[in-house]
Amino acid sequence: MQKPKAQMQPRAVGQWTTGLWDCFSDLGNCFTTLFCPCVTFGQVAHIVHLGKASVFAEGRNYALLSCCCCCYSCFARSKLRYMYNLPTSCCGDCLVHTCCEPCALCQEYRELQNRGFNMAIGWDLNMTQVGITIDPPIGQMMNAMETINNIQDEPEYDNQDDTHDQ
């Protein structure tokens, strides 16, 4: 009996859970971002970069690049959009960060929070305690599906002898 092959369905375009101008829906994050945006950026980038750099390192990089921090932070926004298949705004990620940096950072923070991340505990504890999963990007899904299909196409072998009763 042949096993049915898994079929990959393209992910539907997601939606932001809050708007760009909803900064005041989380006053604590709003004031943190207004007076110390490197903290909010560090928390967002730490999650978006899958814990590869610490919150401190991400925030420090943001602060050190203060003359062009909006260019640096727009890459984290682009990665967040890619992770959740979120639509881009009409003016693009870099322009959103250039014109509305605090609002963009607040929106990204709320997005991750609304998707189940506890922003205070970081990537590792979110993975172990909360158990959040992130769908792999479509390219990785296609490679995984090809591997699964190749395994399923291999003939099955019995552990029995090839000798037959005569």
Side-chain angles (χ1 to χ4, degrees):
M1 182 172 181
Q2 197 175 34
K3 296 178 186 175
K5 292 184 179 184
Q7 294 182 357
M8 185 186 79
Q9 298 294 324
R11 291 188 301 168
V13 174
Q15 294 296 317
W16 291 93
T17 58
T18 62
L20 183 62
W21 311 115
D22 293 337
C23 300
F24 295 111
S25 64
D26 181 350
L27 286 177
N29 176 250
C30 179
F31 287 115
T32 299
T33 304
L34 184 61
F35 294 110
C36 197
C38 57
V39 171
T40 301
F41 175 78
Q43 291 173 316
V44 168
H46 177 67
I47 299 292
V48 169
H49 296 140
L50 310 178
K52 291 185 173 114
S54 69
V55 173
F56 174 78
E58 297 284 5
R60 179 200 61 214
N61 294 344
Y62 180 88
L64 290 174
L65 296 168
S66 60
C67 61
C68 58
C69 58
C70 56
C71 293
Y72 182 59
S73 58
C74 79
F75 293 115
R77 184 177 185 85
S78 296
K79 193 164 185 178
L80 175 67
R81 280 192 319 93
Y82 180 74
M83 286 169 63
Y84 291 109
N85 205 21
L86 299 170
T88 187
S89 65
C90 60
C91 52
D93 295 334
C94 286
L95 194 55
V96 166
H97 272 270
T98 301
C99 297
C100 315
E101 179 76 1
C103 294
L105 290 174
C106 285
Q107 183 187 32
E108 294 156 17
Y109 181 95
R110 288 189 314 272
E111 187 67 33
L112 290 169
Q113 202 170 38
N114 291 344
R115 291 185 182 268
F117 285 97
N118 179 345
M119 300 301 284
I121 64 173
W123 172 258
D124 293 330
L125 288 176
N126 271 294
M127 293 300 104
T128 58
Q129 291 180 1
V130 182
I132 295 173
T133 58
I134 297 176
D135 292 335
I138 292 175
Q140 290 177 5
M141 289 173 56
M142 293 177 99
N143 291 339
M145 294 307 298
E146 287 174 11
T147 303
I148 290 170
N149 288 338
N150 290 338
I151 291 171
Q152 290 177 346
D153 289 340
E154 293 178 5
E156 292 183 23
Y157 296 101
D158 291 336
N159 291 335
Q160 300 173 358
D161 288 341
D162 287 338
T163 57
H164 300 284
D165 293 331
Q166 294 184 359

